[in-house]
């Protein structure tokens, strides 16, 4: 079986099993995190709970805006 046929078969199987076929990456500039009180450069502490909450809150609109939801 050709390599492309194998890949197509794997993708078809994943899609049929409702598998995730992509993963997104979000990044923030350090200055943005500092300005929004999510990162303290003196202690190098990051408020991960607030960042996770913000990402979760924004994912729905982000996916909808990109035609993925």
């Amino acid at each position: 079986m050709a390599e492309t046929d194998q890949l197509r078969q794997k993708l078809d199987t994943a899609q049929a099993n409702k598998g995730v076929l992509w993963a997104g990456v979000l990044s923030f500039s350090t200055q943005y995190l500092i300005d929004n009180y999510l990162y303290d450069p003196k202690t190098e502490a990051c408020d991960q709970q607030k960042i996770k909450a913000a990402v979760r809150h924004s994912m729905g609109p982000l996916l909808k805006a990109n035609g993925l939801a």
Side-chain angles (χ1 to χ4, degrees):
M1 182 179 285
E3 188 175 334
T4 54
D5 290 335
Q6 288 177 337
L7 178 58
R8 182 174 289 118
Q9 183 179 8
K10 288 179 182 180
L11 288 171
D12 288 344
T13 301
Q15 190 171 24
N17 292 332
K18 299 185 190 294
V20 176
L21 300 178
W22 59 274
V25 175
L26 297 176
S27 65
F28 303 92
S29 73
T30 304
Q31 191 60 52
Y32 174 85
L33 295 173
I34 293 168
D35 292 346
N36 288 278
Y37 308 101
L38 299 170
Y39 176 71
D40 183 346
K42 292 179 185 174
T43 63
E44 296 185 352
C46 184
D47 192 335
Q48 292 185 23
Q49 296 293 41
K50 285 185 181 177
I51 293 171
K52 286 179 185 179
V55 169
R56 287 181 181 129
H57 179 76
S58 66
M59 286 309 294
L62 178 67
L63 292 172
K64 189 178 257 186
N66 286 285
L68 299 170

